[in-house]
């Protein structure tokens, strides 16, 4: 067992964000955390990372090394910075080797020639892949990704999501992914954890729990989606 959460309650500013939530994650799984804005997805992730106080029980397995990519990072925020991609990697406290940087850039479908480019000049898709490599280069065995750009096209027509699935297998990592995109959840998620603003939750295999009725309970409206 990688993670076990039991009767988790989280309150912020007097508001109950998460109530009596229980779920578990095994090593090597992809857990997708699904729900509308304001349902507590990012709050849950920050709580699992030990950043927010809570009531209940969170039990991690042994020898856990976590990588975290928070929400809202984009190349637009780098446009005024002169940092090259290599200098961006060199900011890591671990001071990664050039060989490691090239390896992880290759894993996310980028050539090493991108190292000399100014990070702020990259396309949105390129920068998302650089960020993913930046997280992976610390050799975590668990990664948290808060709403990466799942629709960005990768070489060969892949999305960030399918790329993550390939990397998970190669690097033997466990992935926690927050997303709104229902259309890609079914294909690679091991389990889905659903949160709603009204406190409704569900947890299980996506093809077993994500039916029309439950999706409407989660999102509070009619939802259109396609199973892959």
């Amino acid at each position: 067992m990688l993670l076990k959460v039991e009767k988790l309650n989280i309150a912020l500013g007097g508001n109950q964000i998460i109530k009596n939530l229980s779920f578990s994650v095994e090593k090597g799984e992809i857990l997708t955390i699904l729900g509308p804005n304001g349902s507590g997805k990012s709050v849950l992730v920050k709580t699992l990372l030990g950043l927010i106080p809570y009531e209940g029980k969170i039990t991690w397995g042994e020898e856990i090394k976590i990588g975290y990519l928070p929400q809202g990072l984009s190349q637009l925020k780098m446009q005024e910075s002169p940092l090259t991609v290599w200098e961006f990697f060199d900011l890591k406290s671990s001071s990664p080797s050039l060989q490691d940087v090239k390896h992880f850039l290759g894993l996310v479908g980028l050539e090493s020639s991108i190292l000399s480019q100014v990070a702020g000049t990259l396309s949105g898709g390129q920068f998302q892949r650089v960020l993913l490599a930046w997280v992976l280069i610390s050799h975590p065995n668990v990664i948290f990704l808060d709403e990466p750009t799942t629709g960005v096209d990768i070489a060969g027509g892949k999305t960030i999501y399918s790329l993550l699935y390939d990397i998970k297998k190669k690097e033997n990592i466990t992935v926690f992914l927050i997303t709104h995109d229902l259309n890609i959840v079914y294909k690679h998620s091991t389990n889905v954890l659903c949160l709603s603003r009204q406190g409704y939750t569900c947890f299980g295999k996506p093809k077993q729990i994500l039916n029309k009725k439950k999706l409407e309970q989660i999102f509070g409206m009619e939802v259109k989606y396609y199973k892959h």
Side-chain angles (χ1 to χ4, degrees):
M1 184 73 66
L2 178 93
L3 172 66
K4 188 172 184 180
V5 176
E6 301 171 85
K7 298 181 179 179
L8 181 66
N9 289 277
I10 309 168
L12 295 175
N15 296 318
Q16 190 78 29
I17 309 298
I18 302 290
K19 185 177 181 180
N20 202 32
L21 177 64
S22 297
F23 66 95
S24 61
V25 180
E26 298 286 350
K27 290 182 180 179
E29 292 187 350
I30 294 181
L31 174 69
T32 298
I33 303 171
L34 190 67
N37 290 332
S39 58
K41 302 185 300 298
S42 296
V43 169
L44 173 61
V45 165
K46 290 176 182 177
T47 303
L48 296 178
L49 292 172
L51 302 175
I52 293 176
Y54 63 91
E55 294 180 354
K57 192 173 182 180
I58 298 175
T59 307
W60 284 98
E62 297 180 354
E63 299 181 359
I64 298 300
K65 186 175 182 181
I66 292 175
Y68 174 44
L69 182 59
Q71 185 179 4
L73 294 178
S74 74
Q75 88 283 11
L76 297 177
K77 295 185 178 181
M78 295 288 293
Q79 285 185 347
E80 295 182 4
S81 170
L83 287 176
T84 64
V85 173
W86 167 250
E87 290 168 335
F88 181 61
F89 276 96
D90 202 38
L91 292 174
K92 298 285 282 189
S93 58
S94 57
S95 297
S97 68
L98 180 60
Q99 182 179 357
D100 260 3
V101 173
K102 288 181 177 180
H103 169 71
F104 285 102
L105 285 176
L107 271 184
V108 299
L110 293 172
E111 299 290 337
S112 59
S113 58
I114 203 172
L115 287 169
S116 62
Q117 289 186 234
V118 175
T121 65
L122 301 178
S123 70
Q126 287 176 318
F127 190 71
Q128 285 295 326
R129 285 178 274 166
V130 165
L131 286 176
L132 183 54
W134 195 81
V135 170
L136 292 170
I137 204 165
S138 298
H139 300 281
N141 51 23
V142 178
I143 59 173
F144 285 82
L145 304 174
D146 193 343
E147 296 191 25
T149 308
T150 51
V152 173
D153 286 334
I154 306 300
K158 290 186 176 181
T159 63
I160 290 290
Y161 199 90
S162 57
L163 181 63
L164 272 171
Y165 181 71
D166 291 342
I167 292 171
K168 177 195 80 79
K169 291 189 294 183
K170 291 176 183 176
E171 299 296 311
N172 193 29
I173 58 177
T174 305
V175 179
F176 292 74
L177 176 67
I178 293 179
T179 183
H180 285 94
D181 194 340
L182 288 170
N183 297 327
I184 48 83
V185 168
Y186 292 90
K187 190 173 183 180
H188 298 311
S189 298
T190 309
N191 286 304
V192 176
L193 175 62
C194 310
L195 303 175
S196 75
R197 297 191 192 99
Q198 294 75 31
Y200 175 80
T201 63
C202 60
F203 172 74
K205 304 293 181 186
K207 291 182 180 179
Q208 295 174 359
I209 67 168
L210 292 185
N211 55 51
K212 188 173 185 293
K213 181 179 178 180
K214 285 189 176 180
L215 287 171
E216 289 176 359
Q217 285 178 300
I218 296 162
F219 288 94
M221 59 183 180
E222 184 176 357
V223 177
K224 295 181 180 180
Y225 63 97
Y226 302 94
K227 291 185 180 182
H228 289 262

